[in-house]
Amino acid sequence: MFLMEYDYKDDIASQREESFELGLAKGRVSGLEEGLEKGLEKGRMAGLEEGRLEDMRLMMDNLKLSLPQVMDALKIPSEERDKYASLLS
């Protein structure tokens, strides 16, 4: 009967490398998903802001309302009013 020596060190190194590669791949996927989610949220917020600005412009032009009247009608929070005023000027 022949006994072969088993080199477990190579097997452990191979498993460690496979685990590392799997972890790296999972990390990349997780990072991409998180980046995509943040990008979509940022895009949604920018779109909402652009829509609000357009609504404000239309209300001022069509209804002849002042900017403070428009902000009151749209219930723009006081902490956001300066931002919108500067974007509209």
Side-chain angles (χ1 to χ4, degrees):
M1 169 157 65
F2 292 100
L3 291 176
M4 298 179 78
E5 280 190 39
Y6 179 70
D7 190 0
Y8 63 91
K9 292 178 185 176
D10 287 342
D11 200 28
I12 290 173
S14 175
Q15 288 177 358
R16 188 174 289 154
E17 186 175 328
E18 287 174 19
S19 295
F20 175 76
E21 289 174 8
L22 180 61
L24 189 60
K26 286 182 180 180
R28 284 185 183 137
V29 168
S30 177
L32 287 172
E33 288 172 351
E34 184 177 331
L36 180 59
E37 188 176 309
K38 286 181 180 180
L40 287 172
E41 179 63 24
K42 192 173 181 179
R44 273 193 292 272
M45 295 306 291
L48 287 172
E49 185 176 271
E50 284 299 315
R52 185 173 269 181
L53 288 169
E54 183 62 20
D55 291 343
M56 294 168 82
R57 284 186 195 103
L58 289 171
M59 289 177 77
M60 288 188 294
D61 289 343
N62 295 335
L63 301 175
K64 306 301 182 209
L65 297 174
S66 68
L67 182 56
Q69 290 172 320
V70 168
M71 289 187 186
D72 288 341
L74 294 174
K75 298 184 185 202
I76 305 292
S78 59
E79 61 271 6
E80 295 180 17
R81 290 181 180 224
D82 288 340
K83 174 183 81 170
Y84 284 109
S86 69
L87 290 171
L88 287 168
S89 57

